[in-house]
């Protein structure tokens, strides 16, 4: 198995990064020719909200149940643009070549955030795999369990995934 970096930015107060193992082999990572650009938002919402409903241990910290998040198309649009940008410009980071971060990207699509968080991933083929990967990473899990967030949007381009959380 190849190590693939996942990163998280929780821009309410600070930014942190973590690394986790991805299920993607080098062969799987190179099979991006089809460039799937859509995600199943119903599945993603169910996966994330099931975890939030039960509570979750993120690393050494247990987070109790959190209210469900709802889907937001503006957050999904910002997520999509970042996934496309990472793919086309061959980078993997919360900071794009133009210097923008998640807060700038979601503001650009007209989402007036008071709090936001961003998870990114690469090397996963399905919604279930990427959410499981985020849950197994303490920082990403913390973002998923953050009670401040009321809405989310997720997008994928190639094997690059972006998940945006927000509160207006």
């Amino acid at each position: 198995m190849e190590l693939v970096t996942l990163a998280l930015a929780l821009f309410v107060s600070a930014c942190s990064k973590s690394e986790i193992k991805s299920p993607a082999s080098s062969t799987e990572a190179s099979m991006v020719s089809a460039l799937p650009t859509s995600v199943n938002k119903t599945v993603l919402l169910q996966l994330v909200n099931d975890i939030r409903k039960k509570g979750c241990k993120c690393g050494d910290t247990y987070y109790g149940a959190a209210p469900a998040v709802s889907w937001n198309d503006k957050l999904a649009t910002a997520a999509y643009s970042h996934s496309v940008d990472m793919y086309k410009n061959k980078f993997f980071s919360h900071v794009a070549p133009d210097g923008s971060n998640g807060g700038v990207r979601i503001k650009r699509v007209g989402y007036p955030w008071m709090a936001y968080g961003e998870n990114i991933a690469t090397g996963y083929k399905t919604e279930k795999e990427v959410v499981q990967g985020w849950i197994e990473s303490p920082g990403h899990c913390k973002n998923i369990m953050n009670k401040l967030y009321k809405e989310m949007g997720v997008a994928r381009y190639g094997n690059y995934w972006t998940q945006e959380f927000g509160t207006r």
Side-chain angles (χ1 to χ4, degrees), residues 9-31:
L10 174 59
F11 286 93
V12 174
S13 61
C15 177
S16 63
K17 294 182 181 180
S18 60
E19 294 182 5
I20 67 170
K21 291 183 179 182
S22 165
S25 69
S26 57
T27 303
E28 290 170 339
S30 67
M31 296 173 60

Side-chain angles (χ1 to χ4, degrees), residues 1-7 20-32 36 83 86-87 91-92 120-134 155-162:
M1 296 218 326
E2 165 187 341
L3 274 180
V4 177
T5 303
L6 284 179
I20 67 170
K21 291 183 179 182
S22 165
S25 69
S26 57
T27 303
E28 290 170 339
S30 67
M31 296 173 60
V32 185
S83 292
M86 288 190 293
Y87 176 82
F91 74 97
F92 184 73
I120 60 175
T122 188
Y124 295 94
K125 295 189 281 183
T126 68
E127 289 83 355
K128 186 175 181 179
E129 287 176 1
V130 75
V131 171
Q132 185 62 41
W134 283 327
R156 173 186 183 193
Y157 191 84
N159 63 347
Y160 289 87
W161 296 78
T162 304

Side-chain angles (χ1 to χ4, degrees), residues 88-121:
K88 289 186 175 182
N89 291 300
K90 298 179 179 18
F91 74 97
F92 184 73
S93 175
H94 293 285
V95 180
D98 71 359
S100 64
N101 63 27
V104 171
R105 287 186 288 276
I106 65 176
K107 196 173 196 179
R108 283 180 184 161
V109 297
Y111 188 92
W113 61 270
M114 291 178 49
Y116 80 93
E118 178 177 85
N119 288 343
I120 60 175

Side-chain angles (χ1 to χ4, degrees), residues 24-150:
S25 69
S26 57
T27 303
E28 290 170 339
S30 67
M31 296 173 60
V32 185
S33 58
L35 294 179
T37 58
S38 63
V39 296
N40 187 324
K41 69 182 183 181
T42 303
V43 168
L44 284 160
L45 272 173
Q46 182 177 351
L47 289 167
V48 168
N49 285 328
D50 285 351
I51 294 163
R52 288 173 66 94
K53 183 178 179 179
K54 295 175 191 171
C56 186
K57 188 170 183 182
C58 301
D60 294 334
T61 306
Y62 179 78
Y63 291 86
V69 291
S70 58
W71 188 265
N72 183 282
D73 287 332
K74 288 182 180 183
L75 292 175
T77 299
Y80 179 75
S81 70
H82 190 54
S83 292
V84 170
D85 194 20
M86 288 190 293
Y87 176 82
K88 289 186 175 182
N89 291 300
K90 298 179 179 18
F91 74 97
F92 184 73
S93 175
H94 293 285
V95 180
D98 71 359
S100 64
N101 63 27
V104 171
R105 287 186 288 276
I106 65 176
K107 196 173 196 179
R108 283 180 184 161
V109 297
Y111 188 92
W113 61 270
M114 291 178 49
Y116 80 93
E118 178 177 85
N119 288 343
I120 60 175
T122 188
Y124 295 94
K125 295 189 281 183
T126 68
E127 289 83 355
K128 186 175 181 179
E129 287 176 1
V130 75
V131 171
Q132 185 62 41
W134 283 327
I135 288 302
E136 291 173 1
S137 169
H140 299 90
C141 180
K142 182 178 177 182
N143 243 6
I144 288 171
M145 293 306 299
N146 192 321
K147 292 179 182 181
L148 287 176
Y149 303 140
K150 308 294 182 207

